[in-house]
Amino acid sequence: MRQALRGFFIPVRNSPMKMITACTMDCPDSCSLQVTLDTGGEVTLRGNPAHPFTAGFTCKKIRQHIRRLRSPDRILHPLLREGTGWRTVSWEEALALCAEKIQIYRKEPGAILHIQSDGAKGVLKQAGKRFFAELGATRVRGSLCDAAGYMAYVHTFGSRAGNTAHDILNAKRVVNWGKDLSRSSVHLAALVRKARKGGAKVLTISPGGDGNESFSDDMIRIRPGTDRFLAAAVARRLIERGIPEPVWNGIKNGETFRDLVMNRSEAELAEVCGVRRKDIDTVFSFYGPESPVATIAGAGLQRYKHGGENVRFINAVALLSGNIGRSGGGSYFHLHSMGNFNLDWVRVPDRKPPRSFFKPTLGPEILSADDPPVRMIWVNGGNFINQGPDCHQNIRAFEKAEFVVVADAFMTDTAERADLVLPAALMLEQEDIVASFLHDYVQYIPAVLDPPGAARTDYRMVSELGRRLDPPVLLPEPDECFRMSLETPLLDTDLAELREKGSVKARHPEIAYEGMRFDHADGKARLPNILSGEPPPPPEYPLRLLTLVRREAIHSQILPEDQTMPPTVRVAPECPALAVVDRQKDVYLVSLIGRMKVTLDILPGLHPGAVLYRRGDWMKLGGGANQLIEARLTDIGGGAAYYEQYVRLENG
């Protein structure tokens, strides 16, 4: 334990020592954390009670993080593959080997592929991108998470700004399109609860099977992936009622949108999304005169082929009902998690943009690349084999490469496919600065604990590697990275002050797009100009696979002992598959590209055309839902259309 670091520990004789840091998980809340070291050396984590947003509480994922830090399964030393096993090597040998390979491949730098994900967020994590950009390596673009959704906001409003999170307390109505408030973003969930206690009514629209009952006054179950049709039906009603002139004048293509929705009957729209007329009545009434109305867009509804379109139609309803640009209204999705920083230092000026592959289709792009072929892969910050669609194709892509390096703390499905595994430091073991994609606070993260064994930060790995190259690739020192990142008009602070205070608030308007002034060049919003069809499920694969978030873990950051196999999948009591599957026999979840043994359970309230899988478990242990999911892109943003996958359940 670091007993004194920049004054953050508060030692009191015979009393616990306390320190303030922040969470770097891929979660919107970015909690400020109070770390306590008691007199017996035990470490505990809790929400910082003095932080204006965290307000003293955090989620279950944080409370379990100490177990993750101390897991006996952590990788403590570099591991080099030898045949079917591993040999422990020194950092000297590991970095010398990496430098040797890069010296060979950098003559044709596109042959090097860098895959970085957001297993941990922060400014210093961006240094790896700078390192590989200096080399001219192939990079990844798009997202496995939220790209279609955030690009939907950019297409509609010109940016992805939002009302401050606490402004939802000024809403009289809240319409939650698909966010599971019981499992994600505990602080947004707390704000919704507080709004309800203050008299706001909450409507949830989702395929069901989530934990939103206790957050909702009313719920509508919708066919998965068809939210745009329900939103179109409500928009149709709003247009019939009449759009206020200031709202209509703030839209560039209003007439085109009006023709689009008025040319489809309400009955037709309702049939596609599987709702009743009274459900349309309910949504319309929520966006009625009793405003303001806050809209929440869940990440799940943008993980379909037409996911961006789903979000754009929802935003059209929020806009046409007069609830954008006002207190208590707004549309909440994900802010730009790095948007409060100046990351110009990450980019290499006067350099031709390197080749790039989309993350969701990375496996097939690696396999088809020939100018040049991918010969070296470096992975950090993620378990890509497990988390990307079509895992087995991803494995084949990795096997095609000559040299694969994975920086991780555990022997994940991705690390298993490496030639060299480098032990990575985790949250609490490294210094950084982090922002949020829900609130406006930027927070300093001191290194609270020493990494175990020979584990190192990603920054230290690539900075030391860069010095071994000829010519070298020299990265700015950490403090310089921090200082440059803080040099932005959005922040009125410097590194010394941030270290002293722990957090500062970025400068953003409390209300986004106030006065109906949007961030397109002409100041006007754009509504969707197409409503794509939704075909029925293929007869041989009648169920939509929804791989939804867990409460106790994020992505695949699950300790091996916490994974129960076979994985449990859930269907509605009225699901047609129950008529043909014997639950007393072995049950398999089957798609066009794979099958896996599962345990089948019943979940009342879930749409009968869906099968629910709590994602993140590992293939090597018998899980890994993404081995069943084909690699597809969303309509915009280069996102992963995970929920476009249809499956069936069968015995034998």
Side-chain angles (χ1 to χ4, degrees), residues 223 282 340 374 417-418 460 518 534 603 622:
R223 178 188 170 197
T282 298
N340 286 326
V374 173
R417 273 77 193 182
R460 185 178 175 189
F518 299 101
E534 187 70 24
L603 182 59

PDB file of all heavy atoms in Angstrom, residues 223 282 340 374 417-418 460 518 534 603 622:
ATOM      1  N   ARG A 223     -41.946  -5.705 -29.353  1.00  0.00           N
ATOM      2  CA  ARG A 223     -41.135  -6.674 -30.090  1.00  0.00           C
ATOM      3  C   ARG A 223     -39.707  -6.147 -30.195  1.00  0.00           C
ATOM      4  O   ARG A 223     -39.490  -4.992 -30.581  1.00  0.00           O
ATOM      5  CB  ARG A 223     -41.722  -6.885 -31.486  1.00  0.00           C
ATOM      6  CG  ARG A 223     -40.919  -7.851 -32.359  1.00  0.00           C
ATOM      7  CD  ARG A 223     -41.443  -7.872 -33.781  1.00  0.00           C
ATOM      8  NE  ARG A 223     -40.533  -8.599 -34.656  1.00  0.00           N
ATOM      9  CZ  ARG A 223     -40.532  -8.524 -35.985  1.00  0.00           C
ATOM     10  NH1 ARG A 223     -41.413  -7.733 -36.597  1.00  0.00           N
ATOM     11  NH2 ARG A 223     -39.665  -9.220 -36.692  1.00  0.00           N
ATOM     12  N   THR A 282     -50.966   5.330 -24.556  1.00  0.00           N
ATOM     13  CA  THR A 282     -50.188   5.563 -23.335  1.00  0.00           C
ATOM     14  C   THR A 282     -48.947   6.396 -23.617  1.00  0.00           C
ATOM     15  O   THR A 282     -48.664   7.377 -22.919  1.00  0.00           O
ATOM     16  CB  THR A 282     -49.786   4.222 -22.696  1.00  0.00           C
ATOM     17  OG1 THR A 282     -50.960   3.504 -22.325  1.00  0.00           O
ATOM     18  CG2 THR A 282     -48.911   4.432 -21.474  1.00  0.00           C
ATOM     19  N   ASN A 340     -14.498  15.932 -22.503  1.00  0.00           N
ATOM     20  CA  ASN A 340     -14.057  17.043 -21.663  1.00  0.00           C
ATOM     21  C   ASN A 340     -12.544  17.219 -21.656  1.00  0.00           C
ATOM     22  O   ASN A 340     -12.020  18.027 -20.891  1.00  0.00           O
ATOM     23  CB  ASN A 340     -14.549  16.834 -20.223  1.00  0.00           C
ATOM     24  CG  ASN A 340     -16.037  17.093 -20.098  1.00  0.00           C
ATOM     25  OD1 ASN A 340     -16.582  17.950 -20.781  1.00  0.00           O
ATOM     26  ND2 ASN A 340     -16.711  16.340 -19.250  1.00  0.00           N
ATOM     27  N   VAL A 374      -2.250  -8.800 -41.990  1.00  0.00           N
ATOM     28  CA  VAL A 374      -1.951  -8.511 -40.584  1.00  0.00           C
ATOM     29  C   VAL A 374      -0.985  -9.572 -40.073  1.00  0.00           C
ATOM     30  O   VAL A 374      -1.296 -10.768 -40.069  1.00  0.00           O
ATOM     31  CB  VAL A 374      -3.233  -8.487 -39.739  1.00  0.00           C
ATOM     32  CG1 VAL A 374      -2.897  -8.357 -38.251  1.00  0.00           C
ATOM     33  CG2 VAL A 374      -4.137  -7.340 -40.175  1.00  0.00           C
ATOM     34  N   ARG A 417      -5.181 -16.887 -26.785  1.00  0.00           N
ATOM     35  CA  ARG A 417      -4.767 -16.935 -28.196  1.00  0.00           C
ATOM     36  C   ARG A 417      -3.509 -16.129 -28.461  1.00  0.00           C
ATOM     37  O   ARG A 417      -3.138 -15.906 -29.611  1.00  0.00           O
ATOM     38  CB  ARG A 417      -5.905 -16.431 -29.091  1.00  0.00           C
ATOM     39  CG  ARG A 417      -6.882 -17.510 -29.480  1.00  0.00           C
ATOM     40  CD  ARG A 417      -7.835 -17.870 -28.377  1.00  0.00           C
ATOM     41  NE  ARG A 417      -8.577 -19.099 -28.651  1.00  0.00           N
ATOM     42  CZ  ARG A 417      -9.496 -19.592 -27.842  1.00  0.00           C
ATOM     43  NH1 ARG A 417      -9.796 -18.985 -26.705  1.00  0.00           N
ATOM     44  NH2 ARG A 417     -10.121 -20.722 -28.139  1.00  0.00           N
ATOM     45  N   ALA A 418      -2.840 -15.655 -27.427  1.00  0.00           N
ATOM     46  CA  ALA A 418      -1.652 -14.822 -27.597  1.00  0.00           C
ATOM     47  C   ALA A 418      -0.390 -15.665 -27.701  1.00  0.00           C
ATOM     48  O   ALA A 418      -0.342 -16.824 -27.282  1.00  0.00           O
ATOM     49  CB  ALA A 418      -1.532 -13.851 -26.425  1.00  0.00           C
ATOM     50  N   ARG A 460       3.268   2.261 -19.181  1.00  0.00           N
ATOM     51  CA  ARG A 460       4.663   1.882 -18.937  1.00  0.00           C
ATOM     52  C   ARG A 460       5.130   0.842 -19.956  1.00  0.00           C
ATOM     53  O   ARG A 460       6.267   0.894 -20.430  1.00  0.00           O
ATOM     54  CB  ARG A 460       4.822   1.347 -17.513  1.00  0.00           C
ATOM     55  CG  ARG A 460       6.270   1.052 -17.156  1.00  0.00           C
ATOM     56  CD  ARG A 460       6.418   0.569 -15.731  1.00  0.00           C
ATOM     57  NE  ARG A 460       7.797   0.178 -15.453  1.00  0.00           N
ATOM     58  CZ  ARG A 460       8.194  -0.452 -14.349  1.00  0.00           C
ATOM     59  NH1 ARG A 460       7.305  -0.727 -13.396  1.00  0.00           N
ATOM     60  NH2 ARG A 460       9.466  -0.779 -14.188  1.00  0.00           N
ATOM     61  N   PHE A 518     -29.485  24.140 -32.402  1.00  0.00           N
ATOM     62  CA  PHE A 518     -28.790  22.863 -32.447  1.00  0.00           C
ATOM     63  C   PHE A 518     -27.380  23.036 -33.006  1.00  0.00           C
ATOM     64  O   PHE A 518     -27.002  24.118 -33.470  1.00  0.00           O
ATOM     65  CB  PHE A 518     -29.614  21.862 -33.254  1.00  0.00           C
ATOM     66  CG  PHE A 518     -30.971  21.625 -32.642  1.00  0.00           C
ATOM     67  CD1 PHE A 518     -32.106  22.252 -33.165  1.00  0.00           C
ATOM     68  CD2 PHE A 518     -31.110  20.831 -31.523  1.00  0.00           C
ATOM     69  CE1 PHE A 518     -33.352  22.074 -32.582  1.00  0.00           C
ATOM     70  CE2 PHE A 518     -32.351  20.643 -30.930  1.00  0.00           C
ATOM     71  CZ  PHE A 518     -33.477  21.266 -31.460  1.00  0.00           C
ATOM     72  N   GLU A 534     -38.971  -4.228 -41.109  1.00  0.00           N
ATOM     73  CA  GLU A 534     -38.533  -5.211 -40.126  1.00  0.00           C
ATOM     74  C   GLU A 534     -39.102  -6.568 -40.524  1.00  0.00           C
ATOM     75  O   GLU A 534     -40.278  -6.858 -40.288  1.00  0.00           O
ATOM     76  CB  GLU A 534     -39.014  -4.832 -38.720  1.00  0.00           C
ATOM     77  CG  GLU A 534     -38.467  -5.708 -37.619  1.00  0.00           C
ATOM     78  CD  GLU A 534     -36.978  -5.504 -37.379  1.00  0.00           C
ATOM     79  OE1 GLU A 534     -36.463  -4.408 -37.706  1.00  0.00           O
ATOM     80  OE2 GLU A 534     -36.333  -6.426 -36.857  1.00  0.00           O
ATOM     81  N   LEU A 603     -38.912 -16.756 -17.501  1.00  0.00           N
ATOM     82  CA  LEU A 603     -38.897 -15.383 -17.008  1.00  0.00           C
ATOM     83  C   LEU A 603     -40.195 -14.685 -17.411  1.00  0.00           C
ATOM     84  O   LEU A 603     -40.339 -14.233 -18.555  1.00  0.00           O
ATOM     85  CB  LEU A 603     -37.692 -14.633 -17.573  1.00  0.00           C
ATOM     86  CG  LEU A 603     -37.506 -13.181 -17.112  1.00  0.00           C
ATOM     87  CD1 LEU A 603     -37.368 -13.105 -15.599  1.00  0.00           C
ATOM     88  CD2 LEU A 603     -36.291 -12.560 -17.785  1.00  0.00           C
ATOM     89  N   GLY A 622     -17.121 -22.585 -21.000  1.00  0.00           N
ATOM     90  CA  GLY A 622     -18.383 -23.134 -21.482  1.00  0.00           C
ATOM     91  C   GLY A 622     -19.425 -22.106 -21.848  1.00  0.00           C
ATOM     92  O   GLY A 622     -20.537 -22.468 -22.233  1.00  0.00           O
TER      93      GLY A 622
END
